[in-house]
Amino acid sequence: MKIAYLGPAGTFTEQAVRQWHPAGAGLAWPAPTVPAAIESLRRGEVDAAVVPFENSVEGSVPATLQALQDAGEDGVRICAEVHVEVQFSLLVRPGTSLDQVVSVATHPHAMAQTRGWLARHLPDAALVPEASTARAAQAVAEGGYDAAVAAPGAADAYGLVPVAEHIADRDGAVTRFVVLRAGVAVPPPTGSDRTTLVALIWMNRPGALLELLEQFAVRGIDLSRLESRPTGEGLGEYCFWIDADAHVAEARLREALVGLRRTCREVHFMGSYPRADRRPAQVPEHADEGAYAEAQAWVERLSPPAAASGASPR
Ligand SMILES: O=C(O)C(=O)C[C@]1(C(=O)O)C=C[C@@H](O)C=C1
């Protein structure tokens, strides 16, 4: 399997690839940006793309959400997720000391997670955003900057050394990565699944967001994430990214999707896939498969199809 990921070698995304597909990691293609990884999947040059989705401290990764919004429902789908614990080191060329550092490069999400440490220890340093933490480390090796905030493992890849370790402002940060594929079947339900949707509601309709949430609430579906993002169509035009703790094969989610489709301007199905933490879904009794099957059968008994009831249309 050929896998594209946000490169170069040494990113946290590469760690996610190793976790998801240890055998495929050696052949993986380090894409320069998230959109480039997704585009290579759309063009059929790779079988999967692994990209960062959200971080427990800094929130969602805009480049990924935007690229997926641009790709639309028919482009690519999420088929798995991977959680990676992130830890940051300040990497320099051998021989550089902390007081010699006047420029620091890293990915904006890594910058945000180490902002306090950088302000305390390098208040005068120029902070430069780079495409990834490993790209920043590579640029330090090339002489472009004095230091990079990167994964500890990136030091070996680029001949750098840590001048400081564990520099995150909060311990235990986790980044959630998603595995994208094109033209493959939805993975079967496992009892611990998530479904990602993008919904565009009628913005001028009072109660439209409440109506969207009700589709899940009345069917006993827990939402683990709800985020509004601009659609790009104009000021005040938003779409909602939703993570629902259910699988599209379950009756409760299928009915919720019917409700969303009827009441929203647009709904995009981005994939149903197993949760990385394998936490079993909490399904209330009134929303389990048995409850839906029993209720459906009852409705059918109430009004049999016209032909079967013997009624002749006039
Ligand atoms: O630059 C990397 O190493 C990445 O894999 C990207 C990324 C991100 O987009 O959040 C992943 C995890 C860290 O939070 C910092 C950067």
Side-chain angles (χ1 to χ4, degrees):
M1 163 168 315
K2 193 150 187 235
I3 306 165
Y5 70 98
L6 173 64
T11 55
F12 292 102
T13 315
E14 191 193 23
Q15 290 182 34
V17 174
R18 284 183 202 289
Q19 247 173 264
W20 177 63
H21 200 292
L27 296 171
W29 175 61
T33 61
V34 167
I38 294 177
E39 193 48 35
S40 69
L41 176 64
R42 277 166 57 81
R43 285 204 299 261
E45 294 159 4
V46 295
D47 305 300
V50 179
V51 292
F53 194 80
E54 63 168 330
N55 171 266
S56 61
V57 175
E58 193 45 22
S60 58
V61 180
T64 300
L65 299 193
Q66 192 56 51
L68 289 174
Q69 261 172 243
D70 292 345
E73 180 179 55
D74 299 327
V76 298
R77 281 202 184 147
I78 303 173
C79 71
E81 64 172 16
V82 181
H83 291 177
V84 174
E85 211 172 297
V86 292
Q87 268 189 28
F88 300 102
S89 295
L90 190 70
L91 306 181
V92 295
R93 292 180 295 278
T96 308
S97 61
L98 191 58
D99 54 13
Q100 290 173 322
V101 172
V102 295
S103 59
V104 180
T106 192
H107 185 280
H109 259 54
M111 191 97 78
Q113 292 175 77
T114 54
R115 196 174 280 134
W117 190 95
L118 292 169
R120 278 194 307 281
H121 295 90
L122 294 168
D124 300 322
L127 306 179
V128 188
E130 268 292 352
S132 71
T133 55
R135 173 60 206 137
Q138 194 178 48
V140 170
E142 292 162 0
Y145 313 106
D146 299 321
V149 175
D156 285 348
Y158 300 103
L160 303 178
V161 291
V163 72
E165 294 177 292
H166 301 287
I167 64 168
D169 297 332
R170 281 188 75 137
D171 284 340
V174 173
T175 297
R176 175 183 169 211
F177 295 84
V178 291
V179 180
L180 304 169
R181 301 203 66 184
V184 297
V186 174
T190 63
S192 170
D193 303 288
R194 233 196 266 280
T195 293
T196 299
L197 305 166
V198 180
L200 279 80
I201 60 176
W202 298 104
M203 290 308 277
N204 298 327
R205 194 155 95 197
L209 179 57
L210 182 62
E211 202 171 35
L212 176 143
L213 295 174
E214 275 173 344
Q215 304 301 331
F216 299 98
V218 297
R219 296 174 178 103
I221 300 171
D222 199 16
L223 299 186
S224 45
R225 188 167 151 269
L226 175 69
E227 181 173 345
S228 64
R229 268 188 63 74
T231 60
E233 293 166 338
L235 211 53
E237 294 295 330
Y238 289 95
C239 61
F240 291 89
W241 278 78
I242 300 160
D243 281 345
D245 287 0
H247 191 282
V248 68
E250 290 177 70
R252 60 188 182 130
L253 187 64
R254 296 175 82 80
E255 292 223 353
L257 289 174
V258 170
L260 290 174
R261 180 84 175 191
R262 284 189 295 104
T263 54
C264 292
R265 181 152 78 90
E266 267 177 56
V267 186
H268 298 170
F269 173 75
M270 308 303 282
S272 285
Y273 48 93
R275 288 174 65 112
D277 61 11
R278 302 285 181 265
R279 200 174 75 201
Q282 304 290 322
V283 186
E285 220 174 288
H286 72 269
D288 68 16
E289 293 296 280
Y292 271 96
E294 193 280 327
Q296 189 65 41
W298 174 69
V299 171
E300 269 153 32
R301 281 199 305 277
L302 294 178
S303 66
S309 71
S312 53
R314 282 202 259 173

